[in-house]
Amino acid sequence: MRILQGRPVSAGVVVARASLVQERPLPPIEHTRSLLSVESEITRLEAAIAQTLKQLAKLREKLASLPEEGREEISALLSVYERMLSHSRLVRAARARILQDALTAEAAVQQESDALALRAGPQPGMPEEEIEAARRRAGEFREVARRLLRNLTGVSFRAFSNIPTGTVLVAEQVRPADAALIDPNRIAAVLSEGGGVTDHTAIMMRALNVPAVLAIPQLSEIVRDGDLLIVNGTTGSIILHPDAPTLAKARDTMAEEARERKGIGRLRRLPARLLSGEDIELLANVELPAELPLLLRNGAVGIGLLRSEFLFDEELPLPDEDGQYAVYAGMVSDMEGRITTIRVLDWGGEKGIARLRQLGLPAGDEAENPAMGMRGLRLLLAHPEILEVQLAAILRASLIGPVRILLPMVTSTNEIIAAREHYERVAKRLRRRGVKIPADLPPLGIMIETPAAALTTDALVRQADFLAVGTNDLTMYTLAVDRASSMTSELYSPLHPAVLRLIRASADDAFRSHRPICVCGELAADARAVALLIGLGIRSFSMNAAALPRVKRMIRSLTLDSCDTLCRQAMLTSDPIELQKLVRQFAV
């Protein structure tokens, strides 16, 4: 028996056989000067970029089978890689090296990525809290270069599809994008010789809920294919060739963890109620109809946010009224009387603009700053024909069961008034056609996603029937940070005093106006953050379906007094790091 120690990154105890996955090494670059013409090397580089982008697109296709938290994390990282392969500094400088120095495409990519990684990585005198983020940024440049070099040299990527079900994936290095190839239902645990607690790979493993230990010295030299292992993702220990007593103890621990998961299963049937008696509404965010069974199994009392973008494929014609109605009607019917909140199309920025141009519809040029231009309700009001077709389909489906309609990216009362005019016009048109719709139209609500909306909620609520706080975008716009940006993602945190004060401002205005308010986004899936938000007065939360049992378990252990105490302490904290520490250390 031998014990190895690494860095624990994702909790859980697993007893299983090892499956080694090795990666073919890249050949050394022996000749930096090209024997081909400069034009030929540029062509080779462009072909490698195109091939790499196709591979990333295939990885995106695989995300649909992953838990939502994992999808979001991996999708954000793939977006970073895709941007690095567009008109980025890396690509521009690699081309310049070929043109100026007659280098091979391989040498140009390697030299430029090394230079950028060195510049982005840890620097002398850098504060300790910034070092890990710098390492992640440097790793992003190296990963994109590695992918380009494999396509330039024809050295294939490794595949995880041949790993036997129920085994432990053992690799010298598990890169972040590899997470898209890891099926949590097949791979019992992940071990790697490289990696750290705060790097992208660790974040992916936690999002996928796969027990994992990284940074294990000499792992690939010590562990052999088929070796029996005990992996403890909580402590970071790996026991190789365990003896009988150790094996029995580990299996007892696994059984205990399974009982705890089963306890969570029973919890799904219980109400989300504080110990002090207050009921909390737990809803689910939905991206695809296929997610409905999971949210119902996990005890959601309704859909708090149905993202309708899945119906609007950027490569296909816009969906017509009957096609949209069929989808909405099926989902509303499947919800069996539970509320379904449908957000109208939230295209904009980079998404959907190209499609609008193809259709001959005006679209803004948002290349410089896509998050700040025509998106959400602004875009729909500029193209009312798209909005009215969608509203008609939703109104028809609302006859089948309770429905609410949500308007994205609202920043002024004029936008809500204009949207309501379209809404009522569509309702009148349907009635003239003899189409049955409810006598009382479904509630029309708005997303609070910008500081402008949060600070003018007192005016917005006069025109809106309910509110939904989108904490992801609200955080981005408040802190001027894009979570997908390799340079600033470590600054992105919904648990920031400025974000919390904006949520409180919106909540207070909603309460005064007797309007329902719900918190959506990542913050709603954070069980301890929910305790803080309950202290702010929030009683409705919408989150990914997988987080529902965890949040409900926390809610059922809380009292209103404990939530109020946490809230008072949090609102007196001005330092973002201290605030995050306060919430993370909160104990009932």
mmCIF file of all heavy atoms in Angstrom, residues 419-437:
data_model
loop_
_atom_site.group_PDB
_atom_site.id
_atom_site.type_symbol
_atom_site.label_atom_id
_atom_site.label_comp_id
_atom_site.label_asym_id
_atom_site.label_seq_id
_atom_site.Cartn_x
_atom_site.Cartn_y
_atom_site.Cartn_z
ATOM 1 N N ALA A 419 -42.994 48.133 -25.017
ATOM 2 C CA ALA A 419 -43.201 46.675 -25.080
ATOM 3 C C ALA A 419 -44.635 46.314 -24.728
ATOM 4 O O ALA A 419 -45.239 45.429 -25.360
ATOM 5 C CB ALA A 419 -42.235 45.981 -24.130
ATOM 6 N N ARG A 420 -45.210 46.991 -23.752
ATOM 7 C CA ARG A 420 -46.594 46.689 -23.362
ATOM 8 C C ARG A 420 -47.563 47.065 -24.486
ATOM 9 O O ARG A 420 -48.580 46.392 -24.692
ATOM 10 C CB ARG A 420 -46.953 47.412 -22.066
ATOM 11 C CG ARG A 420 -48.231 46.876 -21.436
ATOM 12 C CD ARG A 420 -48.510 47.499 -20.089
ATOM 13 N NE ARG A 420 -47.616 47.030 -19.046
ATOM 14 C CZ ARG A 420 -47.781 45.875 -18.392
ATOM 15 N NH1 ARG A 420 -48.776 45.065 -18.702
ATOM 16 N NH2 ARG A 420 -46.937 45.533 -17.442
ATOM 17 N N GLU A 421 -47.254 48.130 -25.214
ATOM 18 C CA GLU A 421 -48.111 48.495 -26.350
ATOM 19 C C GLU A 421 -48.116 47.387 -27.397
ATOM 20 O O GLU A 421 -49.171 47.025 -27.944
ATOM 21 C CB GLU A 421 -47.627 49.817 -26.962
ATOM 22 C CG GLU A 421 -47.928 51.035 -26.092
ATOM 23 C CD GLU A 421 -47.295 52.306 -26.646
ATOM 24 O OE1 GLU A 421 -46.546 52.218 -27.655
ATOM 25 O OE2 GLU A 421 -47.544 53.387 -26.073
ATOM 26 N N HIS A 422 -46.937 46.844 -27.690
ATOM 27 C CA HIS A 422 -46.873 45.706 -28.619
ATOM 28 C C HIS A 422 -47.639 44.510 -28.065
ATOM 29 O O HIS A 422 -48.339 43.809 -28.807
ATOM 30 C CB HIS A 422 -45.408 45.314 -28.867
ATOM 31 C CG HIS A 422 -44.649 46.280 -29.715
ATOM 32 N ND1 HIS A 422 -44.909 46.471 -31.052
ATOM 33 C CD2 HIS A 422 -43.622 47.130 -29.413
ATOM 34 C CE1 HIS A 422 -44.085 47.370 -31.549
ATOM 35 N NE2 HIS A 422 -43.296 47.791 -30.570
ATOM 36 N N TYR A 423 -47.498 44.276 -26.792
ATOM 37 C CA TYR A 423 -48.148 43.147 -26.108
ATOM 38 C C TYR A 423 -49.664 43.232 -26.258
ATOM 39 O O TYR A 423 -50.336 42.270 -26.668
ATOM 40 C CB TYR A 423 -47.733 43.191 -24.637
ATOM 41 C CG TYR A 423 -48.147 42.029 -23.770
ATOM 42 C CD1 TYR A 423 -48.147 40.725 -24.248
ATOM 43 C CD2 TYR A 423 -48.498 42.243 -22.433
ATOM 44 C CE1 TYR A 423 -48.494 39.661 -23.421
ATOM 45 C CE2 TYR A 423 -48.843 41.193 -21.604
ATOM 46 C CZ TYR A 423 -48.846 39.909 -22.105
ATOM 47 O OH TYR A 423 -49.191 38.865 -21.281
ATOM 48 N N GLU A 424 -50.207 44.388 -25.949
ATOM 49 C CA GLU A 424 -51.663 44.563 -26.015
ATOM 50 C C GLU A 424 -52.148 44.554 -27.468
ATOM 51 O O GLU A 424 -53.243 44.059 -27.762
ATOM 52 C CB GLU A 424 -52.051 45.857 -25.306
ATOM 53 C CG GLU A 424 -51.815 45.769 -23.794
ATOM 54 C CD GLU A 424 -52.011 47.080 -23.069
ATOM 55 O OE1 GLU A 424 -52.204 48.114 -23.757
ATOM 56 O OE2 GLU A 424 -51.976 47.086 -21.818
ATOM 57 N N ARG A 425 -51.328 45.074 -28.387
ATOM 58 C CA ARG A 425 -51.696 45.037 -29.806
ATOM 59 C C ARG A 425 -51.785 43.597 -30.299
ATOM 60 O O ARG A 425 -52.707 43.226 -31.032
ATOM 61 C CB ARG A 425 -50.664 45.812 -30.616
ATOM 62 C CG ARG A 425 -50.998 45.938 -32.098
ATOM 63 C CD ARG A 425 -49.897 46.680 -32.864
ATOM 64 N NE ARG A 425 -49.677 47.994 -32.271
ATOM 65 C CZ ARG A 425 -48.489 48.448 -31.899
ATOM 66 N NH1 ARG A 425 -47.402 47.695 -32.044
ATOM 67 N NH2 ARG A 425 -48.361 49.649 -31.401
ATOM 68 N N VAL A 426 -50.841 42.782 -29.897
ATOM 69 C CA VAL A 426 -50.847 41.370 -30.293
ATOM 70 C C VAL A 426 -52.069 40.664 -29.720
ATOM 71 O O VAL A 426 -52.729 39.869 -30.409
ATOM 72 C CB VAL A 426 -49.545 40.670 -29.825
ATOM 73 C CG1 VAL A 426 -49.655 39.158 -29.974
ATOM 74 C CG2 VAL A 426 -48.348 41.185 -30.602
ATOM 75 N N ALA A 427 -52.393 40.938 -28.465
ATOM 76 C CA ALA A 427 -53.566 40.318 -27.838
ATOM 77 C C ALA A 427 -54.843 40.671 -28.606
ATOM 78 O O ALA A 427 -55.697 39.800 -28.869
ATOM 79 C CB ALA A 427 -53.674 40.770 -26.384
ATOM 80 N N LYS A 428 -54.990 41.942 -28.987
ATOM 81 C CA LYS A 428 -56.183 42.369 -29.743
ATOM 82 C C LYS A 428 -56.230 41.672 -31.102
ATOM 83 O O LYS A 428 -57.293 41.236 -31.567
ATOM 84 C CB LYS A 428 -56.166 43.886 -29.936
ATOM 85 C CG LYS A 428 -56.438 44.676 -28.667
ATOM 86 C CD LYS A 428 -56.334 46.173 -28.918
ATOM 87 C CE LYS A 428 -56.543 46.963 -27.624
ATOM 88 N NZ LYS A 428 -56.358 48.420 -27.826
ATOM 89 N N ARG A 429 -55.068 41.540 -31.736
ATOM 90 C CA ARG A 429 -55.006 40.903 -33.050
ATOM 91 C C ARG A 429 -55.426 39.437 -32.956
ATOM 92 O O ARG A 429 -56.174 38.933 -33.808
ATOM 93 C CB ARG A 429 -53.586 41.034 -33.597
ATOM 94 C CG ARG A 429 -53.425 40.600 -35.049
ATOM 95 C CD ARG A 429 -51.962 40.676 -35.465
ATOM 96 N NE ARG A 429 -51.429 42.005 -35.245
ATOM 97 C CZ ARG A 429 -50.183 42.249 -34.894
ATOM 98 N NH1 ARG A 429 -49.327 41.254 -34.698
ATOM 99 N NH2 ARG A 429 -49.766 43.486 -34.726
ATOM 100 N N LEU A 430 -54.952 38.753 -31.922
ATOM 101 C CA LEU A 430 -55.325 37.341 -31.744
ATOM 102 C C LEU A 430 -56.822 37.192 -31.507
ATOM 103 O O LEU A 430 -57.464 36.288 -32.060
ATOM 104 C CB LEU A 430 -54.536 36.739 -30.571
ATOM 105 C CG LEU A 430 -53.037 36.491 -30.795
ATOM 106 C CD1 LEU A 430 -52.356 36.081 -29.504
ATOM 107 C CD2 LEU A 430 -52.806 35.444 -31.878
ATOM 108 N N ARG A 431 -57.374 38.077 -30.709
ATOM 109 C CA ARG A 431 -58.823 37.996 -30.428
ATOM 110 C C ARG A 431 -59.639 38.256 -31.690
ATOM 111 O O ARG A 431 -60.668 37.608 -31.927
ATOM 112 C CB ARG A 431 -59.186 38.981 -29.320
ATOM 113 C CG ARG A 431 -58.688 38.537 -27.939
ATOM 114 C CD ARG A 431 -59.113 39.487 -26.834
ATOM 115 N NE ARG A 431 -58.717 38.982 -25.517
ATOM 116 C CZ ARG A 431 -57.973 39.636 -24.649
ATOM 117 N NH1 ARG A 431 -57.549 40.865 -24.941
ATOM 118 N NH2 ARG A 431 -57.655 39.101 -23.499
ATOM 119 N N ARG A 432 -59.165 39.198 -32.524
ATOM 120 C CA ARG A 432 -59.870 39.466 -33.793
ATOM 121 C C ARG A 432 -59.819 38.250 -34.711
ATOM 122 O O ARG A 432 -60.748 38.000 -35.482
ATOM 123 C CB ARG A 432 -59.249 40.681 -34.502
ATOM 124 C CG ARG A 432 -59.660 42.021 -33.922
ATOM 125 C CD ARG A 432 -59.389 43.166 -34.909
ATOM 126 N NE ARG A 432 -57.986 43.258 -35.291
ATOM 127 C CZ ARG A 432 -57.085 43.989 -34.657
ATOM 128 N NH1 ARG A 432 -57.440 44.695 -33.579
ATOM 129 N NH2 ARG A 432 -55.827 44.023 -35.072
ATOM 130 N N ARG A 433 -58.705 37.479 -34.605
ATOM 131 C CA ARG A 433 -58.583 36.262 -35.406
ATOM 132 C C ARG A 433 -59.410 35.117 -34.843
ATOM 133 O O ARG A 433 -59.477 34.041 -35.437
ATOM 134 C CB ARG A 433 -57.110 35.820 -35.450
ATOM 135 C CG ARG A 433 -56.258 36.595 -36.441
ATOM 136 C CD ARG A 433 -54.761 36.342 -36.240
ATOM 137 N NE ARG A 433 -54.426 34.945 -35.966
ATOM 138 C CZ ARG A 433 -53.229 34.551 -35.545
ATOM 139 N NH1 ARG A 433 -52.273 35.450 -35.318
ATOM 140 N NH2 ARG A 433 -52.992 33.272 -35.329
ATOM 141 N N GLY A 434 -60.002 35.335 -33.685
ATOM 142 C CA GLY A 434 -60.787 34.278 -33.056
ATOM 143 C C GLY A 434 -59.961 33.297 -32.260
ATOM 144 O O GLY A 434 -60.442 32.214 -31.886
ATOM 145 N N VAL A 435 -58.709 33.657 -31.981
ATOM 146 C CA VAL A 435 -57.828 32.787 -31.194
ATOM 147 C C VAL A 435 -58.121 32.998 -29.713
ATOM 148 O O VAL A 435 -58.181 34.136 -29.232
ATOM 149 C CB VAL A 435 -56.348 33.104 -31.483
ATOM 150 C CG1 VAL A 435 -55.442 32.262 -30.596
ATOM 151 C CG2 VAL A 435 -56.033 32.873 -32.952
ATOM 152 N N LYS A 436 -58.330 31.915 -28.992
ATOM 153 C CA LYS A 436 -58.616 32.025 -27.560
ATOM 154 C C LYS A 436 -57.341 32.309 -26.767
ATOM 155 O O LYS A 436 -56.334 31.614 -26.923
ATOM 156 C CB LYS A 436 -59.254 30.735 -27.045
ATOM 157 C CG LYS A 436 -60.672 30.513 -27.541
ATOM 158 C CD LYS A 436 -61.283 29.281 -26.896
ATOM 159 C CE LYS A 436 -62.724 29.090 -27.358
ATOM 160 N NZ LYS A 436 -63.353 27.891 -26.720
ATOM 161 N N ILE A 437 -57.405 33.338 -25.953
ATOM 162 C CA ILE A 437 -56.324 33.654 -25.017
ATOM 163 C C ILE A 437 -56.981 34.045 -23.701
ATOM 164 O O ILE A 437 -58.181 34.358 -23.658
ATOM 165 C CB ILE A 437 -55.412 34.799 -25.532
ATOM 166 C CG1 ILE A 437 -56.213 36.082 -25.731
ATOM 167 C CG2 ILE A 437 -54.693 34.393 -26.796
ATOM 168 C CD1 ILE A 437 -55.347 37.292 -26.093
#
